[in-house]
Amino acid sequence: MPKVSVLMSVFNSNLELLNKALNGLENQSYKNFEVVLVNDDPSNEELKDYLKNSINTFSFPIKKMENDRNMGLIYSLNKGLKACSGDYIARADDDDFSYNNRLEKQVTFLEANKNIVAVGGWVKIVDELGNGSAVRKYPSLNDIPKSIPFRCPIQHSFLMVRRNVMIDVGGYSSEYYLAEDYALFLKLRYMGYKLDNIQEVLGEYKFTVQDSRKRSKKCRKSVFKAKIRFFNKKEFYNSLKGIGFGFTWWVFPQFLINLIYHREIKKPIIY
């Protein structure tokens, strides 16, 4: 039975949502996994107390590390990556919730499809209270080449990837601030690896209009840089259109970005 390392970084966490996220892992039908948790918020005493008091209440093993100071998500994920011992690495965020069959479905999928290196799935979009009904659908294997020049092909916090491939590509690239996930997927495709998504809802992803501010101009610039760096000549025209779209998205006013996301999360189905 392959081992899974669930990689999580915490910073300024909502403790109620973090507890829910960890309980979602506690109830997984697949049991051969560890959690590698990096605390990137060492000055947060409330978070440190929670981690100290709760870490032994879960049945799964937790490797907890703490940065000396706030170092950012990319540094923390790469630090945690070095401690992962699983055959597969599953990402999880501290405010998202994995349904109890998520890990089992993803392991089964990757075991049955040796040509696929990374798999995600659909997610339900919810707010801080867990309310919401929108489903974000992510593309399958054959549709990813058409969609990846324009959008992130996998929801990062529901990613499962082969550990040897993550090591081979050098983990997350620090130069793509706030777009480390998209840059990773572009790089994997650039190197000839195949990605896919299970066409089922695997959990709940917290996203609100306030979260759209994370799609800042700096983030969108990183996306544009990644599109240029990992330009896929084998899919020349789609990649070229993706660069054009990326530049337009980069220079878009932030208030329009917020309006677009506000409209999107009200839809019952999001592609």
Side-chain angles (χ1 to χ4, degrees):
M1 180 182 289
K3 182 178 179 180
V4 176
S5 294
V6 180
L7 178 58
M8 178 184 292
S9 173
V10 295
F11 175 78
N12 194 28
S13 300
N14 178 317
L15 297 187
E16 185 176 343
L17 293 179
L18 173 57
N19 192 60
K20 181 180 178 180
L22 291 173
N23 274 293
L25 297 173
E26 174 74 14
N27 295 321
Q28 289 295 303
S29 57
Y30 194 84
K31 301 301 183 183
N32 189 24
F33 72 94
E34 64 179 2
V35 170
V36 177
L37 190 152
V38 182
N39 181 10
D40 192 33
D41 199 1
S43 63
N44 187 331
E45 295 299 328
E46 188 178 13
L47 175 59
K48 290 173 73 171
D49 286 344
Y50 170 83
L51 294 175
K52 179 181 178 180
N53 296 328
S54 67
I55 202 165
N56 294 320
T57 65
F58 298 101
S59 62
F60 50 81
I62 300 180
K63 295 178 182 176
K64 183 173 76 71
M65 292 169 282
E66 184 172 284
N67 295 333
D68 295 330
R69 56 187 175 87
N70 174 228
M71 297 296 294
L73 179 61
I74 297 174
Y75 175 92
S76 300
L77 291 181
N78 283 330
K79 180 177 181 177
L81 182 61
K82 295 175 183 177
C84 292
S85 61
D87 304 285
Y88 299 119
I89 295 172
R91 274 284 289 117
D93 278 347
D94 58 358
D95 55 1
D96 294 336
F97 178 71
S98 294
Y99 291 161
N100 61 10
N101 58 1
R102 175 209 163 175
L103 295 183
E104 181 178 7
K105 282 184 176 293
Q106 290 183 307
V107 169
T108 300
F109 183 91
L110 289 174
E111 286 291 289
N113 297 274
K114 300 296 186 181
N115 62 320
I116 305 298
V117 302
V119 66
W122 298 351
V123 294
K124 180 181 176 183
I125 307 295
V126 300
D127 60 18
E128 295 91 338
L129 301 177
N131 299 320
S133 58
V135 171
R136 184 182 292 276
K137 294 187 175 183
Y138 284 87
S140 58
L141 174 66
N142 293 331
D143 291 325
I144 283 177
K146 294 177 287 186
S147 66
I148 193 171
F150 305 99
R151 56 169 290 198
C152 199
I154 293 175
Q155 173 53 47
H156 189 208
S157 55
F158 286 86
L159 165 71
M160 184 177 286
V161 59
R162 299 183 192 274
R163 177 178 172 273
N164 65 319
V165 172
M166 281 295 288
I167 300 300
D168 184 48
V169 302
Y172 294 94
S173 300
S174 59
E175 61 264 41
Y176 303 111
Y177 176 71
L178 292 176
E180 72 288 336
D181 51 348
Y182 190 37
L184 172 66
F185 300 135
L186 287 171
K187 186 175 185 179
L188 288 171
R189 287 277 304 155
Y190 178 81
M191 295 178 69
Y193 292 117
K194 293 184 178 181
L195 319 174
D196 206 345
N197 283 289
I198 295 171
Q199 303 295 289
E200 297 179 36
V201 177
L202 299 183
E204 297 174 1
Y205 168 60
K206 186 188 76 66
F207 190 85
T208 65
V209 176
Q210 288 71 32
D211 291 316
S212 71
R213 295 189 178 95
K214 297 176 184 177
R215 275 63 174 172
S216 64
K217 192 164 187 176
K218 192 170 184 179
C219 166
R220 288 177 273 132
K221 181 180 180 180
S222 293
V223 168
F224 180 62
K225 284 171 56 180
K227 287 174 185 284
I228 293 176
R229 170 62 183 83
F230 302 114
F231 185 90
N232 195 333
K233 293 180 181 178
K234 294 180 180 179
E235 297 161 4
F236 182 86
Y237 292 109
N238 272 344
S239 297
L240 192 61
K241 287 189 290 185
I243 286 179
F245 177 80
F247 179 79
T248 303
W249 195 242
W250 170 25
V251 299
F252 237 49
Q254 187 63 43
F255 79 94
L256 289 178
I257 299 290
N258 294 343
L259 286 175
I260 290 169
Y261 278 112
H262 182 67
R263 182 180 178 184
E264 283 289 294
I265 61 177
K266 288 185 175 182
K267 295 179 180 178
I269 300 293
I270 305 171
Y271 291 94

